[in-house]
Amino acid sequence: MGTSAGDSMDVVESGRRAAERSDASAGSETRSATFRIWRGTATDGRFEAYTTGVSEGMVVLDAIHQIQAESAGDLAVRWNCKAGKCGSCSAEVNGRPRLMCMTRLNELDLSEPVTVEPMKAFPLVRDLVTDVSWNFEAKKRIAKFSPRAPDAADGTWRMQQSDVDRVQEFRKCIECFLCQDVCHVLRDHGKHDSFVGPRFLTYVAALEMHPLDTVNRTGELKEAHGIGYCNITKCCTKVCPESIAITDNAIIPLKERVVDEHYDPLTALVRLFRRKPQ
Amino acid sequence: MVEYETHSHDVLVVGAGGAGLRAAIEAAASGARVGLVCKSLLGKAHTVMAEGGIAAALANVDERDNWSVHFADTMRGGQYMNNWRMAELHAKEAPDRVRELEAWGAVFDRTPDGRILQRNFGGHKYPRLAHVGDRTGLEMIRTLQDYAIHLGIDVHMECTVIALLKDGERVAGAMAYDRERGRFRVFDAKAVVIATGGIGRAFHITSNSWEYSGDGQSLAYRAGAALQDMEFVQFHPTGMVWPPSVRGILVTEGVRGEGGILVNREGRRFMFDDIPENYRSQTADNEEEGWRYVQGDKNARRPPELLTRDHVARCIMREVREGRGSPHGGVFLDISWIKSKMSDSSGHIRKKLPSMYHQFKQLADIDITSEPMEVGPTTHYVMGGIRVDGDTQMSTVPGLFAAGEAAAGLHGANRLGGNSLSDLVVFGKRAGEHAARFAAEQSSSSLPADAIDRTAREALEPFDRASKGASTEGPYQVQHTLQETMQELVGIVRREDEMVRALDCLASLRNRTARIAVTGNREYNPGWHTALDLSNLLTVAEAVTRSAIERRESRGGHFRADYPEKDTGYAGFNILVSRDTDGSMRISREPVPAMRDDLRQIIEENK
C-alpha cells in the first residue's frame, strides 16, 4: 500500500536543498588547520602546534582525535558521547569554555591557529584533562531529595506539567562544569571550600522547586553553599550548552528565598522571640 | 613484583550506567559493602544517551495495557529467542521500577491528569514509554546517581577493569588500573556484577561511545563464563549520515513515535511497501490511520515506521541499495510535515524532541521543524552477551553476575526501543540483590598472586615494545582496521564467505595487536587505553562473527544474504560461545527451554 502524496515530494525537495546547501558549504578542496594544544601538566607544560586536515562538519573533538591518531598518541582528552549529551569534553577553545564535541570548526577562524586548553577552575591532570572530583564531593554535601508521602489513591503522586517545567529545565544539566569553570568565584578566587558554584546552585534550585520535595535548604545555601558569593554576572548562563537560564531562573529565586527567610526584619524579630533556650 | 593498591568489598559492581548504579544501590541497601568501578566520570555512562523513554505497562495513557501485553510484545519483537522468564519478570516489574525512579526524584513528562506520560514506540502495542522529552536516559542516570551517592558506596571513577580474579571456580575480585595515574588496583570481592554495556565500538558506524568496547563480555568469557546470542546485534535504523564527522549519532525513534515519516528520494513512504506477516494485523495500511494512531486514536493501528528496528533498518538499506536513497546515502526522516496537521508544529517539535532539534541545528545546520533529516542504520546495541540465570542474573561462573546490555536473554533476536532502560533497572536491581545475598554466604577468598602479576606485566608490554624499537603498530590504526572489517564483513547484511574472511582478518589483527607500542607514560594516556581495549574488542568481534556464521538463517538483528529467510530449524536453540581448554573459542547450541503453559497462552491471546 505504498503512497506517494504531494506532501512527500515536498519532503524530498527540501531535503535535497538541505543536502546541496551543506555540500556547498563543504567546499571542494581539503583544507588544513593548526591547533595550539596545551600539553603537559600545570607545572611542566606548554602549547604545542599541530596541523591536521579539515573536512565537512568537523568539530574540535574530531580534530583532537585526528591529531591523536596522526601524531600525538598520548594526547590526553576526556570524552564520551560526542553528541553533547554527557558533558565530558569540556575545554577552552580560543579562550571560551565549550564542549569540544559541539564546537564546529566552520564557526572558528581557521586562518589563525585554534587554541585548545583545559578548564582553569580545576587542577590540571595532563593536557586537556582536569581533576573535576571536587564537584562530586560538593554535590554530596547538599541535602538529598526527600519526597512527601504519596497522596494519590494508587500510592503515587499527581504533578501537573506546568508545575514541573521549571524543574525539568534545571534537570537538563549535563554536568559539563563549564559554568563552574567560568565562575570567577571559583576560577579567580578559588573559593571551592565555601561556594558550591552555579552547577550546584542550579541543583539546589531543582530540589527546592521539585513539587514533591519537603526539605528547606535555605540555611545551607546561605552558610555551607555560600550563595552570597554570587554577584550575578551571568557568565555561567552564557556558557551553558543546555541554555539553562542559570542566573535568572535558578540563582536569583534562591537568593530571594534566602533573603526572605534570613534577612527580613519581621521574620528575624519573630525568630528572636521564638528561639528556644539552648 | 608489581605494585598495586588493594580495596576490599563484598560486592564489586563494574560499570556505572543504569544497570550498575541500580545494582550498587540494591546491594548497598541490603547492607553489603559495595564498590562501584567505572571507566568514565560518574553520570557519563552510555545510559545518558538514551533518548526515547523507558518501557513499562503503567497503563497511564491506554488502560488496556498490562504486563502480559508487554510480555507478548517483547517476545514477538525478539522472535521468541528471548529468555521467557526474563521477559516475564521484566514486564511485571518494570512499572514498579519506574515509580521508584519517581520516588527518588525523577521528573517525567505528565499526562493531563498529572500522572507519568507515556509515548508510542516501535513494536509496543500501546503507548508505553515513560519519558522526559528526548533525554530520558539523562534523567534516569542522574536520578540513580544522586540517590546512590548518599548510600556509602565506594565509587572508583575513571578506573578500567582488565581482568577478573578467581579463587578456584568462583570469582574473587578484579584487577584494574586508574586512568588518571595509570596505577594498578586490585579489588577483593565476594561477588562481582558486570554492568559494562555493549560492543558498538567494534564497528565503524555506531551510536556508541568509546566505552563500548565489550569489556564485560570479554572479561566474563576469559573467566570461563558462557556468552549467548552474540550474532544478534541491533542496527538502529536512524543514525545521522551527514556530515561525515557525525555519522552514526543516534536519531531517536521518538521522532517516529511523534509522527515522523520515512520517505525515499521518489517521495514514497516506503515503509508501507513491506509489512511483515506477524505484524500485519497491528499495522496501519494507510497514512491517515497512521496519523490517527500517533495522535492517540485507540481504534487506529500504528504506522509502519513503528515496526521493529531490525525490519525498518533493512527497509532503509533496501531503498539505498536500489538507488532510491537520499543524497548522502540514507533516506529522509521527516517530522516537519506535521505542520499540515497542527498549528504550532514548530513549538510542538521543539518541546517533544528538544535534543534532536539542537543536535541537527548545531551539528548539521538542519532545522528539523522545517526540513527533513537524512538518516541511515547505525550499530546501536547487542542483544547477546553474558548468559545469566533469569531470576538471579548469575552467570555460569559462581559469584559472577551480569545485568543490562552486558547480559543476554531479555531481548532475544531483536530489542524493542524502550526495553533497554527498563532492562537496566529491573535486572540491575535483581543482580544487586542476588550478588549481595551470594556474597553474604561466602567466606573470604584468597587472591591469585600469579594472575595479578601476569596481568600487570601484560598490560605494560606496549610501553616495553616502544623502548625496544622493533617493528611496531599504533593502537589507533589497528582499532580503525578492526572497525572497518566488522562494518564491511559482519555488518547489517552478512554472508558466509565474507564472515570467514573476517575471521582471517581478526586473526591478523590479533597478531598486530601483539606488536602495538605506545608512547608517553602511564598518566591519562589514551594510546595505552586504546591498546588495552583492543583485546576485548577482538574477543567480542570474534564471538559475533563465529555466532553469525553458525546461525544459517535470518532472524531479528541477524540478516544473512545467503540465508534470507527464517528457518524454524534454528528457532529452537541459542548459540553459546565459551572458551575451550586450549584457549580457542568454542561455539555450541543450547536448546531454548520450553515455555510455561500460562505464558504460551498469553502469547496466543495476543497474536
Side-chain angles (χ1 to χ4, degrees), chain B residues 280-332:
Chain B
R280 194 154 295 158
S281 65
Q282 301 186 357
T283 308
D285 57 14
N286 64 80
E287 297 189 5
E288 182 271 337
E289 184 182 5
W291 173 247
R292 278 197 285 120
Y293 176 88
V294 297
Q295 290 302 101
D297 181 343
K298 289 177 182 167
N299 296 315
R301 294 169 300 173
R302 61 177 176 265
E305 276 85 0
L306 292 177
L307 285 162
T308 53
R309 288 174 174 177
D310 53 339
H311 180 74
V312 179
R314 277 196 296 278
C315 289
I316 292 174
M317 289 294 283
R318 180 195 65 215
E319 294 303 306
V320 174
R321 204 174 46 243
E322 294 175 8
R324 294 186 297 273
S326 64
H328 300 108
V331 294
F332 296 113

Side-chain angles (χ1 to χ4, degrees), chain B residues 523-537:
Chain B
E523 290 186 7
Y524 220 109
N525 186 336
W528 183 40
H529 303 165
T530 302
L532 295 181
D533 289 347
L534 263 169
S535 79
N536 297 331
L537 280 172

Side-chain angles (χ1 to χ4, degrees), chain A residues 138-139 141-143 170 196-210 213 215-218 220-221 225 227 250 254 257-258:
Chain A
K139 187 189 248 186
R141 294 196 295 270
I142 293 165
F170 302 147
V196 286
R199 159 57 193 139
F200 297 109
L201 293 177
T202 307
Y203 180 67
V204 173
L207 291 165
E208 287 287 288
M209 298 183 204
H210 194 302
D213 185 70
V215 180
N216 182 338
R217 295 173 187 79
T218 50
E220 64 180 62
L221 272 172
H225 308 329
I227 191 170
L254 288 182
R257 284 189 192 196
V258 170

Side-chain angles (χ1 to χ4, degrees), chain B residues 220-232:
Chain B
Y221 166 82
R222 277 162 28 216
L227 307 181
Q228 171 186 320
D229 297 338
M230 291 300 284
E231 70 276 28
F232 296 128

Side-chain angles (χ1 to χ4, degrees), chain B residues 483-500:
Chain B
Q483 291 165 341
E484 293 281 347
T485 302
M486 291 302 286
Q487 186 77 35
E488 289 299 311
L489 303 178
V490 201
I492 187 163
V493 177
R494 300 165 171 171
R495 304 165 51 97
E496 183 120 1
D497 53 340
E498 292 183 343
M499 291 192 285
V500 169

Side-chain angles (χ1 to χ4, degrees), chain B residues 12-16 35-39 154-156 159-161 176 187:
Chain B
L12 180 72
V13 180
V14 186
L36 179 60
V37 184
C38 48
K39 289 209 286 190
D154 287 330
V155 182
H156 305 269
C159 184
T160 304
V161 172
F187 297 97

